Amino acid sequence: MSKKDIAIGVTGLALLATSVAGLAGWYTEHQRVTDLESQFADAQLQEKRSAVVRSISEQMEEIAYQQKEISDEQREEAIQQKKVADEMRQRSEMERMNALIAQEQAIASEQQAHEARQVAENERQMAEHQRLQAELSKRMTDTLSYVALARSLGSLSSVQSQLGYNELAGLLAYSSYLFANRYQGDIYYPTIFQSLMTASQSKRSWSKHNGSLMGWAYMSDVDKRMVTVSTYGEIMIHQKDGDNLQSQMLLSDKSYDFRDVFVEDDIIYAISRSGHLVIIDHDDTKILPLPDLAFPSKVNILDKDNILLVGDHGMALYNKQRKMVVATRELDFKLTCVARYNNCPLLFDDQGRQHLVKSINELITSDVPVPGRVTAFASSKNTLQRAYGMSDGTIYLFNEQNNKITKLEGHLSRISKLKLNGWQLYSSSYDGTLRMWNTNSEKIEPVTLISAGSWIMEFNFDSSKQYVWIGDQDGNLTEALMSVPMMVDLVRKKLKRDFTTDEWHYYIGEKVPYESFVGKQGKEVTL
């Protein structure tokens, strides 16, 4: 290759390079211009945005200024309202304080009024108390006066009855009860009770046995028929017919000395001191010797199949099904009393002991809680009381709740029988009296219900507990009404006239308002 060609090639290359370089520079410049234009456009756009932002900022600032003005106005208004509220609160506080002061003044006034009212009430109560005390004192005086009058009238009634002036005796007996009952006196006081019993004529006696009446038992038709036995070997059955007592002798043999009788299913078991058990089953009479039982005197039920026969120093067991004595037992002590306690026979001996019979071979022995020789005993499950009657006439009342023992004195000789009916204790004695004791009274005193004139050996009540029957040493049977209301009714029905004015003034007194006891249908009428 020639130099010319080389030069042309180099020149061409140089031109090409120059062209390329120029083209590259143009492109670069063009690109820079484009970028500047873009930046300028962006700057313009940014300026526009800035202008918009400035405009918005100015608007916001203007709004803020406006809101500030509004806020300032509201703050100023709030301050004013706070002032008003403070003033109102201060006024309210003052009013509240005034109200508190007024309330305190009202409370103080109310307290003063209450104190004044209390003083007035105390004075009224004191005056009322003094009035009541005066009335109580007057009532107590009247009560004591009228109770004393009632007892005196009862005594006068008994005197008039003895003199034969029965009409006047009835008026005095009724007025005696009336004043005692009206002023809460004791209507069982001896003179009052005895005057009512006499005036009512409610006691009747019949002489039936030749010997002492020792045993008593009701047949199955209680209150209609009863069986009695005597020491003269007599067994009798009785039936009440109006005012009469119809009697039938079932056995009369002086060789027997009957001391007790027991009836079950209308079969009569009578025990004789001679050592015999007489059994009467309707028309069949059987006499059973008791050779192993010395001096038998009591018959007592042991259980449904057996009867316990008791002598001075032993026991025998009679079986009702086999109709024979099936066992005997000797005792190393002498018996003084046979009773019942907790549905079992209870034996008392002469050594101060008591024996509860569970069976003929089982005795529960303990000391009697009272001194002396027991001759009668009674107990009550309802009142938890036990009564011990002694040979010297003393009665001891034992309270099972507190083990308290009360000594009751009134009888003069041996106690023959005791019965507890609720809070009332009935006692009979060889001194010839039947007495009643109210055991729930603060002071227990005896009331003589009947004076028989001879030893009382036995007594029994009817099923209503209104009538009592007694048997005495002379063989007499006596029926007496025990109900005071029934006696009063009988006395009132017998009244034919009232007191005359002179009688009233003499027996009762001029200061006591006159009363008529005879009115329509026997009712008392106050004039």
Side-chain angles (χ1 to χ4, degrees):
M1 180 178 293
S2 67
K3 294 182 180 181
K4 183 178 180 182
D5 292 331
I6 295 169
I8 292 170
V10 170
T11 302
L13 287 170
L15 286 171
L16 182 57
T18 302
S19 296
V20 172
L23 184 58
W26 177 85
Y27 180 77
T28 302
E29 184 66 20
H30 179 72
Q31 187 65 34
R32 189 176 68 78
V33 171
T34 301
D35 291 339
L36 289 173
E37 288 177 350
S38 177
Q39 291 176 2
F40 178 74
D42 290 338
Q44 287 181 332
L45 181 60
Q46 183 66 33
E47 184 177 3
K48 289 180 181 179
R49 289 177 178 171
S50 298
V52 173
V53 170
R54 280 196 305 276
S55 175
I56 292 173
S57 296
E58 290 174 355
Q59 292 177 2
M60 293 296 291
E61 184 178 1
E62 184 177 357
I63 290 171
Y65 280 127
Q66 292 176 355
Q67 288 180 341
K68 180 176 178 300
E69 290 177 358
I70 292 171
S71 178
D72 290 342
E73 290 176 357
Q74 290 178 342
R75 183 170 60 79
E76 186 65 28
E77 184 177 356
I79 291 172
Q80 293 299 324
Q81 290 178 348
K82 181 176 179 298
K83 285 182 179 181
V84 172
D86 289 342
E87 291 176 357
M88 292 180 66
R89 186 166 58 252
Q90 291 176 358
R91 187 180 299 112
S92 175
E93 182 66 20
M94 291 180 64
E95 291 177 354
R96 189 181 70 82
M97 292 298 295
N98 291 335
L100 288 175
I101 293 172
Q103 183 182 9
E104 291 177 356
Q105 291 176 347
I107 291 174
S109 298
E110 183 181 359
Q111 183 65 27
Q112 292 176 354
H114 177 72
E115 291 175 356
R117 192 164 54 247
Q118 189 64 37
V119 170
E121 179 64 19
N122 290 340
E123 291 178 350
R124 187 194 68 79
Q125 290 181 357
M126 187 177 299
E128 179 69 12
H129 177 71
Q130 291 174 348
R131 184 184 67 81
L132 292 175
Q133 285 294 109
E135 290 183 356
L136 179 61
S137 298
K138 183 179 183 301
R139 283 200 303 270
M140 289 179 64
T141 302
D142 290 344
T143 296
L144 293 174
S145 174
Y146 279 108
V147 168
L149 174 62
R151 296 176 179 180
S152 173
L153 291 171
S155 297
L156 291 171
S157 173
S158 298
V159 170
Q160 294 299 323
S161 292
Q162 293 173 3
L163 295 175
Y165 300 121
N166 294 329
E167 189 175 65
L168 181 57
L171 285 169
L172 290 168
Y174 183 71
S175 59
S176 170
Y177 161 79
L178 192 68
F179 288 121
N181 186 60
R182 183 178 294 169
Y183 291 91
Q184 289 78 50
D186 183 7
I187 58 176
Y188 286 96
Y189 190 79
T191 58
I192 299 172
F193 186 89
Q194 288 294 337
S195 68
L196 287 173
M197 179 174 285
T198 302
S200 64
Q201 299 176 353
S202 56
K203 184 175 74 171
R204 300 177 180 86
S205 293
W206 298 270
S207 179
K208 294 294 182 179
H209 286 283
N210 292 314
S212 299
L213 193 155
M214 300 298 296
W216 176 298
Y218 280 112
M219 300 294 283
S220 59
D221 48 354
V222 178
D223 299 342
K224 290 185 178 179
R225 293 184 301 158
M226 63 201 81
V227 176
T228 58
V229 297
S230 78
T231 57
Y232 208 66
E234 300 162 312
I235 302 177
M236 300 186 74
I237 188 167
H238 314 274
Q239 184 168 351
K240 185 78 182 299
D241 182 16
D243 292 338
N244 297 319
L245 186 66
Q246 304 295 336
S247 302
Q248 178 186 355
M249 186 72 72
L250 300 180
L251 178 68
S252 178
D253 189 335
K254 291 185 290 184
S255 63
Y256 299 119
D257 179 3
F258 292 116
R259 295 303 176 97
D260 196 14
V261 64
F262 171 72
V263 175
E264 185 178 53
D265 298 328
D266 283 347
I267 301 176
I268 301 170
Y269 302 86
I271 196 163
S272 171
R273 189 82 171 158
S274 61
H276 298 85
L277 178 65
V278 177
I279 304 171
I280 302 177
D281 186 355
H282 299 89
D283 294 331
D284 181 31
T285 299
K286 178 181 179 182
I287 299 175
L288 181 67
L290 304 172
D292 298 324
L293 186 63
F295 304 113
S297 59
K298 290 294 179 181
V299 185
N300 209 305
I301 188 73
L302 183 62
D303 54 47
K304 65 177 183 178
D305 297 321
N306 297 290
I307 294 175
L308 188 69
L309 310 176
V310 183
D312 283 357
H313 295 279
M315 301 183 295
L317 199 63
Y318 175 81
N319 186 275
K320 294 181 289 183
Q321 303 300 323
R322 298 169 63 183
K323 297 183 179 181
M324 60 182 294
V325 174
V326 295
T328 58
R329 178 179 175 178
E330 289 188 6
L331 302 173
D332 59 356
F333 46 79
K334 183 178 180 180
L335 295 177
T336 62
C337 175
V338 179
R340 292 190 68 79
Y341 182 67
N342 287 343
N343 296 320
C344 294
L346 181 63
L347 314 179
F348 294 89
D349 65 24
D350 58 354
Q351 300 173 22
R353 297 176 302 177
Q354 56 190 15
H355 313 270
L356 191 66
V357 182
K358 307 299 289 186
S359 71
I360 196 167
N361 295 315
E362 182 185 0
L363 302 181
I364 300 176
T365 300
S366 60
D367 291 333
V368 177
V370 297
R373 187 160 63 96
V374 178
T375 57
F377 174 82
S379 64
S380 171
K381 291 182 178 179
N382 295 329
T383 62
L384 297 178
Q385 291 180 317
R386 303 200 301 261
Y388 299 85
M390 317 307 289
S391 60
D392 63 354
T394 302
I395 299 174
Y396 291 98
L397 189 66
F398 181 83
N399 190 320
E400 296 179 8
Q401 290 181 304
N402 53 19
N403 292 333
K404 180 182 178 181
I405 298 176
T406 304
K407 185 177 182 180
L408 307 180
E409 295 179 308
H411 285 293
L412 302 177
S413 57
R414 170 179 173 145
I415 304 299
S416 57
K417 189 168 184 178
L418 294 173
K419 272 187 176 293
L420 271 167
N421 180 19
W423 294 106
Q424 292 180 327
L425 170 65
Y426 296 88
S427 60
S428 63
S429 168
Y430 284 5
D431 64 8
T433 62
L434 175 69
R435 302 184 183 231
M436 183 189 70
W437 317 70
N438 287 313
T439 60
N440 62 342
S441 299
E442 184 175 349
K443 185 178 181 181
I444 306 175
E445 295 183 341
V447 177
T448 301
L449 303 179
I450 296 175
S451 294
S454 63
W455 292 3
I456 296 179
M457 313 303 297
E458 176 67 271
F459 72 90
N460 256 315
F461 288 92
D462 68 352
S463 60
S464 69
K465 302 294 191 297
Q466 304 293 341
Y467 287 87
V468 65
W469 289 83
I470 66 170
D472 63 30
Q473 183 190 18
D474 296 331
N476 298 314
L477 273 172
T478 300
E479 179 198 43
L481 179 62
M482 293 290 100
S483 169
V484 170
M486 292 177 66
M487 284 192 287
V488 170
D489 188 56
L490 287 173
V491 171
R492 188 165 56 189
K493 287 179 179 178
K494 292 178 182 294
L495 296 181
K496 302 300 182 183
R497 68 174 181 89
D498 283 315
F499 282 114
T500 65
T501 302
D502 290 340
E503 288 173 337
W504 184 275
H505 292 168
Y506 180 78
Y507 291 109
I508 297 177
E510 297 181 10
K511 295 182 179 180
V512 180
Y514 181 88
E515 293 185 43
S516 171
F517 300 150
V518 180
K520 292 182 179 180
Q521 298 178 353
K523 295 181 179 179
E524 62 184 76
V525 178
T526 302
L527 297 180

